[in-house]
Amino acid sequence: MVLTVCVGSAVMVAVVSVREQVPVDPALAAGAQASVAQLGRMPVVAQRLSRDDYHRDAFGPAWTDAVSVADGGNGCDTRNDILARDLTDTRVGAVASCPRAVLAGEFRSPYTGKFLVFARDRKAGAVQIDHIVPLALAWDMGAWSWSLSTRTDFANDPANLVAVDAASNQDKSDAEPARWMPPDKRFHCRYAIQFVTVATAYRLSVDAASRAVLAKVLSRCARRR
């Protein structure tokens, strides 16, 4: 489907490297430049108007494999797909939701730069999967009008997901860019690119304050060559 093509192509941009170098590589600068153009075409609302009818179930079963986006229907739940993509030095094994689930691994959280070791049987919750465009924010910005299948695809689209440390994920909650950006500024370029790419592909609106924040970040990143 169209959304899969548009959004799925952005995954590689988001996970190439957690730590940006200075100057930023030309591909990242080009991605930022493209996102500046996308941001300019996004519908803008004066401010986020939080609806009072959001509920997680509106986006389908958590981490379901029954979706039409990238990696959907591959026999593994979405959480394990993202752990397998983002973690290194992994050990895999079979669990009920995935025959090749990540049992252990390590990674550096892109939001904070902190190095983390993941073990399914020991504090697995220290590593969480974040929606770059939060579900509640998407709901407020237009997802309330989508079909259940589109919302389920959105919630499990790899282009909108990244493994992060639990503390920063909980600190972010459902905040828009005007209220929250990753603590590690070295990830701002990639975060802004992914946010705009996903929001554009799913035709979401953006609030004026967040548009200003994203435009500033992307313009700065686009100039680094």
Side-chain angles (χ1 to χ4, degrees), residues 138-149:
W139 180 264
D140 292 343
M141 294 301 176
W144 60 268
S145 66
W146 298 349
S147 66
L148 175 60
S149 61

Side-chain angles (χ1 to χ4, degrees), residues 1 4 20 26 29-30 44 46 51 63 65 70 97 110-111 124 133 165 184 193 216:
M1 61 186 291
T4 303
E20 294 178 16
V44 181
R51 298 173 60 93
W63 308 135
D65 187 40
S97 61
Y111 286 176
V133 180
D165 63 288
D184 190 340
I193 289 171
K216 182 176 180 180

Side-chain angles (χ1 to χ4, degrees), residues 159-214:
N160 192 36
L161 298 170
V162 61
V164 299
D165 63 288
S168 61
N169 187 36
Q170 292 164 7
D171 180 59
K172 173 186 173 180
S173 186
D174 68 343
E176 64 272 22
R179 292 192 296 133
W180 190 93
M181 289 289 286
D184 190 340
K185 293 183 178 181
R186 292 169 293 188
F187 195 65
H188 280 195
C189 290
R190 300 184 191 280
Y191 186 84
I193 289 171
Q194 277 316 99
F195 189 99
V196 171
T197 299
V198 171
T200 298
Y202 284 90
R203 301 180 181 178
L204 291 170
S205 300
V206 63
D207 62 283
S210 291
R211 185 186 185 282
V213 169
L214 292 167

Side-chain angles (χ1 to χ4, degrees), residues 59-69 71-78 81 148-154 156:
F59 287 83
W63 308 135
T64 178
D65 187 40
V67 290
S68 58
V69 292
D71 295 333
N74 67 357
C76 281
D77 61 284
T78 303
D81 286 337
L148 175 60
S149 61
T150 298
R151 288 196 293 264
T152 305
D153 279 352
F154 178 84
N156 294 276

Side-chain angles (χ1 to χ4, degrees), residues 37-81:
Q38 289 179 320
L39 183 62
R41 295 191 293 268
M42 286 181 64
V44 181
V45 296
Q47 61 184 11
R48 176 182 179 179
L49 298 177
S50 296
R51 298 173 60 93
D52 59 5
D53 56 351
Y54 165 76
H55 54 99
R56 175 62 181 82
D57 291 347
F59 287 83
W63 308 135
T64 178
D65 187 40
V67 290
S68 58
V69 292
D71 295 333
N74 67 357
C76 281
D77 61 284
T78 303
R79 176 175 166 78
N80 272 295
D81 286 337

